[in-house]
Amino acid sequence: MKVFVADLSEVLLAERCDEGETDYLAGELSHIVKDLLGPRFWISYWNYYPFLANTLYYAATFLSAVQTVGEEYIALLPLVSVRQRKVPAFTRRLIFILSFAVAPFLVEKVLERIEDNLRDSLIASETRFFDGKRRNLRKILLNLVVLIRFTGIPLLYRLNLALFYLFGTYYYISKRLIGLQYVSFRSQSNYQALFYFRFFGAINIAQIVSSAVIWIRDQLRKQRSEKAAVEFRQFSESEISEEEYDLVNHFVYHDDVLFQVEVRMKAVIMNVFSVIGRELSYKSPKWLFGKGIFRFASSVKSELENKYFPVIYVSGIQPTGVPHLGNYFGFIQHWISLQNDGRSKQMYLSIADYHSISMGFTNPLEMRNNIFKMAASLLACGLDPEKTTLFQQSRVADHANLMYILGSLQTISRLTRMPQYKDKAAVFVFDILKTISKIQTLLFKHGNIPVNLQLYPILQAADVLLYKGTHVLVGDDQTQHLLLMRDLAFKCNAVLHCDFFPVPVQISARCARLKSLQNSTKKMSKSMGNDRSRILISDIKQIIVEKCAKALSDSQSNITYEPEKRPAVSNLVTLYALATGLSVENVIDECASLDTKGFKSRLAEKIDAHIAPFREKYERLLQEPQLIRDILTIGTQRAEKKAQETMAELRELLGFNLSHQAINK
């Protein structure tokens, strides 16, 4: 049989296929150990599963002189001499297994053991006055080992991966050691795959460069921060009065801007102290290339990374009472369709009462009624308690426990950059324009901004990661929060040295966002004071007709869909399309002969026909409050069981569990 020297694209595809097989085998081994021996044993030996998977896979294939799955799929044959068609001897194959699977594992364990010994020796000798030189040497060695483990080895891995993609050097250095070459039974190369792999190689090089630039940027920022701290310490230790010190504290420092403040005291006039501040601000560069350009690729990568996690949909909705049509078409309808699509998955939906008090407490009676109404509305719209675990967020204590743990991985500066925090915090912030000695200084004074408003995204991340959610159904306005949630999952996995949390993927509603019936520039929301701005799913036909008749339109009588020129009428057309299931074009054709008044009348009929079954079921459920309590109680028990499993495993990884291991003396 005629053979050809294997092309780079064929080698790349075969290597990728084998890597997928070993990852799958590692995942299966992990699940088997967890089911048979329990989570405690499973966590204790987490790092062994990839090692065992690689060893077993290549022992069963390459060591046994059998093609791997990737080689067989791509039709490749491993040789050590293409001209003589000589297959590698058993000794070479054994060297490959040892260098590929065993050696990296042993190096990792040796470095880990050295790091632990150095840490223990530093702790044991930290009180010895005469051991200063040795302690400094141990600190240097410890930092070097940590640098090699967590920076050097991953960097070399990424560099080797980039070279592999770009130039075809074998992905596994072990294959270079034994002089392995590939021949193919195909004469045609896959140039399209080769192009994509080289593109991925360029991306890896760009990531390495951007990581280096970001590291340099962080070091410079750290030096500036330390310098500013020293200057501020010198200023604070100088002789100034308490009033002057309090006045300086009115300045607000934003994370994106590095302020270098020099305050000089001038005089005291009429018991008012004058402070002249000069701010030298340096805007930090936006490293979008390093942090933002790969968001789409990161989302695709998350789908691949989560393939070994069970599919779990998680979301939440605040108890605002009866939902309006914006809530229904934007979230509830999509959730119900996912629930009933027939695919195997778990679904957790929380009534997020903790989130509802992020701006402050509400009336207790109103809160209870809103929780009941929201639960009844969800059930009336088609939520099945057997398929969706519906529960009350505040009844599962581990939401707050996980939020506290995740909070140690996030910075205040990023939380203050969240768009929703800025919008809601504006309610508590006011500007003071103060004139001192003909110098107008604008001071931003923060009022009583609740801490929960800043912790909102952390709690939201805990709501999802507590149940190891792989998919999150949220609106586009929550994208920034979801990116923060994904970052927390990455950081936590890096700290724990295992893939403990899946990286959640955002699922957005497919429909257009409904606008207020009275203001087409605002979304339909209960925060609008006018009840006519929204239609609730519990509204009777008479109220729906009245709200539609008084909905905002324009002076033209015909019906068109022009969101830029006629936003109010276009919003009504969108609502008609959602209520009937028609496309916007079909709605325009169907209502072409109607004027605005006739269109509003028909719109009211379509909306009433759509929500009438929900309204009737909602009224029946309100007559059975005990049924709603039972559903929420059962859902809370199911959610609490899953949450406790996650937290038990996490506490084990964090070292909080002392019940089964003796303390080293």
Side-chain angles (χ1 to χ4, degrees):
M1 179 182 293
K2 188 176 182 180
V3 295
F4 307 88
V5 177
D7 189 77
L8 171 60
S9 61
E10 297 174 314
V11 178
L12 291 169
L13 292 173
E15 301 283 12
R16 271 304 183 198
C17 185
D18 289 335
E19 189 178 70
E21 293 296 326
T22 55
D23 288 344
Y24 176 77
L25 183 58
E28 291 300 312
L29 286 174
S30 174
H31 292 315
I32 291 173
V33 172
K34 183 179 179 181
D35 294 338
L36 294 180
L37 303 178
R40 182 177 299 172
F41 185 89
W42 167 69
I43 291 174
S44 301
Y45 295 93
W46 177 271
N47 293 332
Y48 288 79
Y49 307 134
F51 159 69
L52 291 175
N54 288 324
T55 304
L56 292 175
Y57 179 76
Y58 284 100
T61 55
F62 189 73
L63 188 62
S64 303
V66 178
Q67 286 177 294
T68 64
V69 175
E71 293 167 355
E72 184 177 2
Y73 179 75
I74 307 299
L76 299 181
L77 185 65
L79 301 175
V80 293
S81 176
V82 176
R83 181 174 299 178
Q84 299 178 1
R85 298 188 182 182
K86 183 179 179 181
V87 298
F90 178 81
T91 305
R92 289 177 180 264
R93 298 198 299 269
L94 182 60
I95 291 174
F96 167 74
I97 297 293
L98 294 176
S99 59
F100 169 72
V102 180
F105 178 77
L106 293 179
V107 170
E108 172 67 20
K109 288 300 178 183
V110 169
L111 290 176
E112 183 179 353
R113 185 64 179 271
I114 293 174
E115 180 184 349
D116 293 339
N117 290 337
L118 288 173
R119 290 186 188 277
D120 294 341
S121 63
L122 285 173
I123 295 173
S125 63
E126 63 182 357
T127 59
R128 298 179 185 175
F129 176 76
F130 57 86
D131 202 24
K133 293 184 178 180
R134 291 184 180 180
R135 188 162 58 249
N136 291 334
L137 179 60
R138 288 169 183 167
K139 286 183 179 179
I140 295 174
L141 291 176
L142 177 61
N143 293 333
L144 181 61
V145 172
V146 172
L147 183 66
I148 293 174
R149 282 191 64 195
F150 300 108
T151 303
I153 294 178
L155 183 62
L156 290 176
Y157 171 79
R158 289 171 60 183
L159 182 60
N160 181 65
L161 184 64
L163 295 176
F164 165 67
Y165 282 148
L166 289 173
F167 305 111
T169 54
Y170 287 125
Y171 183 47
Y172 303 130
I173 301 177
S174 308
K175 293 186 178 180
R176 302 181 207 167
L177 295 177
I178 63 174
L180 194 66
Q181 296 176 322
Y182 281 108
V183 295
S184 174
F185 299 104
R186 302 174 182 175
S187 60
Q188 186 67 31
S189 299
N190 191 341
Y191 293 106
Q192 185 177 8
L194 180 60
F195 169 78
Y196 288 135
F197 278 117
R198 285 181 173 170
F199 175 71
F200 293 150
I203 288 180
N204 272 275
I205 293 293
Q207 287 180 329
I208 293 173
V209 173
S210 61
S211 298
V213 173
I214 291 172
W215 182 83
I216 295 173
R217 186 277 312 268
D218 292 340
Q219 295 301 314
L220 294 175
R221 179 178 289 180
K222 183 179 179 181
Q223 292 178 2
R224 291 178 180 176
S225 300
E226 292 175 352
K227 182 179 179 181
V230 171
E231 292 179 355
F232 183 77
R233 192 181 303 113
Q234 293 174 353
F235 167 76
S236 62
E237 292 174 355
S238 61
E239 296 182 357
I240 60 174
S241 63
E242 294 183 0
E243 291 83 356
E244 296 165 347
Y245 187 80
D246 292 338
L247 187 58
V248 174
N249 285 336
H250 282 297
F251 287 97
V252 179
Y253 296 88
H254 297 278
D255 180 72
D256 287 336
V257 183
L258 182 62
F259 290 94
Q260 185 181 6
V261 182
E262 179 184 1
V263 181
R264 298 178 180 178
M265 309 308 303
K266 289 297 184 182
V268 179
I269 302 175
M270 300 296 292
N271 294 327
V272 177
F273 295 92
S274 171
V275 177
I276 300 177
R278 184 177 62 186
E279 298 181 349
L280 300 176
S281 61
Y282 301 92
K283 289 191 176 181
S284 60
K286 302 293 184 181
W287 299 104
L288 296 178
F289 185 76
K291 291 186 176 180
I293 198 171
F294 302 117
R295 282 180 181 172
F296 174 75
S298 178
S299 177
V300 175
K301 182 181 178 183
S302 297
E303 291 280 5
L304 298 176
E305 290 174 340
N306 294 341
K307 63 183 178 181
Y308 301 124
F309 286 94
V311 178
I312 299 178
Y313 286 81
V314 181
S315 193
I317 186 169
Q318 291 193 26
T320 56
V322 181
H324 51 72
L325 293 184
N327 300 136
Y328 173 74
F329 289 117
F331 172 77
I332 299 175
Q333 187 184 53
H334 194 183
W335 183 271
I336 301 302
S337 64
L338 289 172
Q339 170 193 277
N340 299 327
D341 63 5
R343 299 178 182 177
S344 176
K345 58 184 171 297
Q346 302 176 44
M347 303 187 75
Y348 292 88
L349 180 60
S350 66
I351 298 180
D353 44 3
Y354 271 163
H355 286 294
S356 65
I357 62 171
S358 60
M359 298 283 285
F361 290 159
T362 59
N363 183 278
L365 180 60
E366 181 182 357
M367 175 65 76
R368 294 190 192 97
N369 290 335
N370 285 342
I371 293 174
F372 264 100
K373 290 179 180 179
M374 179 57 70
S377 301
L378 293 171
L379 295 170
C381 291
L383 188 139
D384 186 351
E386 296 296 328
K387 298 179 180 179
T388 296
T389 300
L390 179 65
F391 65 99
Q392 194 176 338
Q393 180 192 30
S394 61
R395 299 288 297 276
V396 182
D398 284 325
H399 283 262
N401 294 335
L402 183 56
M403 179 190 71
Y404 191 85
I405 294 174
L406 295 177
S408 63
L409 300 175
Q410 195 51 261
T411 61
I412 294 177
S413 59
R414 182 169 184 185
L415 295 178
T416 55
R417 292 199 301 267
M418 292 290 104
Q420 286 201 349
Y421 171 79
K422 292 180 179 179
D423 295 340
K424 294 183 179 180
V427 178
F428 300 94
V429 178
F430 58 92
D431 298 339
I432 301 176
L433 187 62
K434 193 169 184 179
T435 304
I436 303 176
S437 301
K438 299 182 181 180
I439 299 177
Q440 292 184 341
T441 306
L442 186 63
L443 301 176
F444 297 92
K445 181 178 179 181
H446 281 258
N448 298 323
I449 300 178
V451 175
N452 287 347
L453 187 60
Q454 201 165 45
L455 296 179
Y456 185 100
I458 305 294
L459 179 58
Q460 196 175 41
D463 295 339
V464 175
L465 298 181
L466 185 61
Y467 304 97
K468 296 191 176 181
T470 57
H471 298 76
V472 186
L473 180 59
V474 291
D476 292 336
D477 58 336
Q478 298 289 319
T479 299
Q480 292 295 326
H481 288 181
L482 191 87
L483 291 175
L484 183 141
M485 185 189 307
R486 290 165 53 83
D487 287 345
L488 285 174
F490 276 123
K491 290 179 180 178
C492 196
N493 290 342
V495 171
L496 300 176
H497 307 301
C498 65
D499 294 331
F500 184 75
F501 288 122
V503 181
V505 178
Q506 180 177 1
I507 305 295
S508 300
R510 293 182 290 267
C511 66
R513 178 179 295 181
L514 288 178
K515 303 296 183 181
S516 168
L517 298 181
Q518 299 297 318
N519 186 350
S520 57
T521 62
K522 303 289 185 180
K523 70 175 183 178
M524 186 178 291
S525 173
K526 290 186 179 180
S527 61
M528 303 287 291
N530 192 350
D531 291 339
R532 295 175 181 174
S533 65
R534 57 192 176 273
I535 297 176
L536 307 180
I537 65 169
S538 61
D539 285 344
I540 61 176
K541 184 176 182 179
Q542 181 181 355
I543 296 177
I544 296 174
V545 171
E546 180 182 351
K547 289 182 177 180
C548 288
K550 296 183 179 181
L552 184 67
S553 57
D554 52 31
S555 58
Q556 300 181 32
S557 60
N558 61 326
I559 304 301
T560 61
Y561 184 76
E562 299 174 283
E564 298 296 332
K565 297 180 180 179
R566 307 183 66 190
V569 175
S570 299
N571 183 47
L572 298 179
V573 172
T574 300
L575 182 55
Y576 191 105
L578 293 173
T580 58
L582 300 174
S583 64
V584 172
E585 293 77 10
N586 291 337
V587 172
I588 298 299
D589 294 339
E590 182 178 305
C591 303
S593 60
L594 299 176
D595 58 4
T596 305
K597 182 178 180 180
F599 176 75
K600 290 180 178 180
S601 177
R602 182 176 294 185
L603 173 62
E605 294 177 0
K606 298 297 183 181
I607 293 175
D608 179 69
H610 188 86
I611 69 173
F614 306 151
R615 181 175 61 237
E616 295 173 0
K617 189 174 181 180
Y618 171 77
E619 295 295 338
R620 291 199 306 268
L621 286 170
L622 287 184
Q623 305 302 320
E624 303 180 58
Q626 188 58 43
L627 175 61
I628 298 176
R629 292 192 190 96
D630 293 342
I631 291 174
L632 289 177
T633 300
I634 294 174
T636 300
Q637 292 173 353
R638 290 163 58 184
E640 197 169 24
K641 180 180 178 181
K642 175 67 175 178
Q644 289 175 352
E645 291 177 358
T646 302
M647 290 303 297
E649 296 170 0
L650 183 58
R651 290 189 181 99
E652 186 78 24
L653 288 171
L654 292 174
F656 293 164
N657 189 359
L658 304 179
S659 60
H660 68 284
Q661 184 175 0
I663 300 176
N664 295 328
K665 295 183 179 180

